[in-house]
Amino acid sequence: MDTKILKANPDGFAIASEILKSGGLVAFPTETVYGLGADAFNTKAVAKIYSAKKRPNFNPLIVHVIDLETAQKFVYLDADALLLANNFWPGPLTIVAPIRAGSNLSELITAGLDTIAIRVPAHPVARKLLEIFNGPVAAPSANPSGSISPTNASHVKNGLNGRIHAILNGGKCNVGLESTIILSQNEECHLLRSGGIPEKNIEEILGYKLLSNKHPISPISPGQLSSHYAPNAKLRMNAQSASEDEYMIGFGHIIGQLNLSSKGDLTEAASNLFSYLHMADEDTLTLGKTKIAIAPIPMNGLGIAINDRLKRASSPRD
Ligand code: TXA
Ligand code: MG
């Protein structure tokens, strides 16, 4: 299969929507990372996501919809979930909530759970695609399973070329980290994955602390696989400097071949994180290095999600 790169113009949107309607796969930009989209009603199409990504079948998918009203056709949102939706949608928040009977979503999306992960993206290209396609789009991040999430169209092409029908090019994703995932259950909210919206901001709206992700009804906790978000080269965190065989990614005053944010700005660091890991991966080879060292990132705000991704990226590989 020849993977087409589509421009985000009327022709591009029309072709992308046609591909989705006919059961194909289209990668598209969201404000967090690129998603690999399929028609969420079409099980054959959803199955193609798993095979294109070589993703283990037990990992459920996020459904992307145009607005809160549409989301409520598919899930039950209680008062707290509604509060979060009203405050953070459109935006990088995913809510996992009980699926509505008769939702007609493909069973492959839930991987056997009785909940659905749903979100309303803010990126104008994602929104235009949802509007023209006029239906729910199931989409995981558009990378081969276990590797770094893509934050531009060429990352997607490098990872999935020939395995998907098209990539809708919307430039660089400005958040750069996947969405924060909240499980809303029995009038309580649990954090399943830290991400583009810091926990603190969510807790401020809720008026209480999020419960941790050890919730018994969610045996499938996101990013369970140990080598999630991994670059090819080995990664060492909290490095003050690099050894000879290491490629250095700096932060703040700690310098390196690349610097996530020389101002020490965590929002800027988050938006650069995955593309710098992609770049570092390529550059380690050319520079004859074997590892990547990365400077300490403070554990507050978006730093929590950044450290979570780095921890997974540096954990032992299968
Ligand atoms: O920012 C994002 O969230 C991006 C963009 C494309 O929307 N998507 C993304 O999808 O990161 P993915 O598939 O790479 O990660 C979604 C996570 C998975 O770890 C999955 O286990 C979890 O969401 N998940 C999906 N449905 C779930 C459910 N019903 N219960 C618990 N976890 C769920
Ligand atoms: Mg992913």
Side-chain angles (χ1 to χ4, degrees):
M1 170 190 321
D2 191 26
T3 301
K4 287 193 202 87
I5 309 265
L6 303 172
K7 288 202 177 114
N9 62 21
D11 280 352
F13 286 117
I15 297 169
S17 169
E18 263 324 297
I19 294 172
L20 291 177
K21 290 233 180 292
S22 60
L25 300 183
V26 179
F28 63 98
T30 80
E31 69 280 20
T32 59
V33 300
Y34 274 70
L36 179 57
D39 177 352
F41 292 131
N42 182 338
T43 291
K44 260 196 185 157
V46 176
K48 289 180 193 160
I49 292 180
Y50 289 100
S51 60
K53 277 180 68 86
K54 305 204 175 121
R55 183 179 213 180
N57 265 15
F58 49 77
N59 215 353
L61 303 173
I62 298 176
V63 175
H64 297 67
V65 293
I66 187 85
D67 56 22
L68 172 57
E69 204 188 326
T70 312
Q72 286 178 299
K73 290 188 193 157
F74 303 117
V75 289
Y76 291 102
L77 298 177
D78 65 19
D80 284 355
L82 273 175
L83 191 63
L84 296 181
N86 277 313
N87 271 278
F88 296 111
W89 282 353
L93 176 75
T94 294
I95 298 176
V96 175
I99 190 168
R100 226 178 243 283
S103 75
N104 276 333
L105 293 172
S106 161
E107 281 175 6
L108 269 186
I109 290 172
T110 61
L113 298 171
D114 52 11
T115 53
I116 286 281
I118 199 155
R119 95 177 183 90
V120 175
H123 195 293
V125 174
R127 299 191 61 74
K128 194 74 189 168
L129 179 64
L130 287 170
E131 183 195 317
I132 292 176
F133 173 63
N134 194 22
V137 172
S141 52
N143 52 280
S145 189
S147 64
I148 311 164
S149 290
T151 54
N152 66 35
S154 58
H155 296 155
V156 180
K157 190 163 164 68
N158 292 342
L160 297 175
N161 194 26
R163 309 176 62 84
I164 64 177
H165 298 90
I167 303 167
L168 195 50
N169 189 355
K172 185 188 162 188
C173 305
N174 64 346
V175 175
L177 282 177
E178 299 88 346
S179 58
T180 302
I181 305 183
I182 295 297
L183 167 71
S184 156
Q185 189 86 27
N186 306 326
E187 316 291 322
E188 287 175 333
C189 289
H190 303 247
L191 178 71
L192 295 186
R193 178 177 75 185
S194 56
I197 296 180
E199 284 90 297
K200 205 169 64 87
N201 303 18
I202 295 171
E203 290 171 346
E204 264 165 29
I205 298 294
L206 287 174
Y208 61 82
K209 287 238 167 262
L210 287 165
L211 300 164
S212 77
N213 66 358
K214 304 284 181 313
H215 199 263
I217 69 126
S218 175
I220 301 145
S221 86
Q224 226 178 16
L225 301 173
S226 56
S227 61
H228 233 69
Y229 310 107
N232 293 319
K234 242 184 142 170
L235 187 83
R236 182 167 69 89
M237 292 174 71
N238 298 315
Q240 297 294 334
S241 60
S243 61
E244 212 157 272
D245 59 343
E246 285 176 332
Y247 181 95
M248 182 77 195
I249 300 180
F251 177 78
H253 66 275
I254 300 185
I255 56 164
Q257 273 90 358
L258 295 169
N259 193 315
L260 285 172
S261 168
S262 49
K263 295 184 296 213
D265 178 306
L266 289 168
T267 305
E268 185 182 18
S271 79
N272 286 331
L273 180 68
F274 290 142
S275 60
Y276 283 13
L277 288 174
H278 280 286
M279 271 192 242
D281 237 358
E282 283 165 27
D283 292 353
T284 40
L285 295 177
T286 11
L287 298 176
K289 311 226 181 248
T290 55
K291 295 180 203 140
I292 301 168
I294 189 151
I297 309 294
M299 273 298 271
N300 55 56
L302 286 179
I304 297 173
I306 296 174
N307 277 299
D308 168 77
R309 303 304 188 273
L310 289 174
K311 217 170 126 199
R312 293 181 201 285
S314 59
S315 73
R317 310 293 161 74
D318 304 332

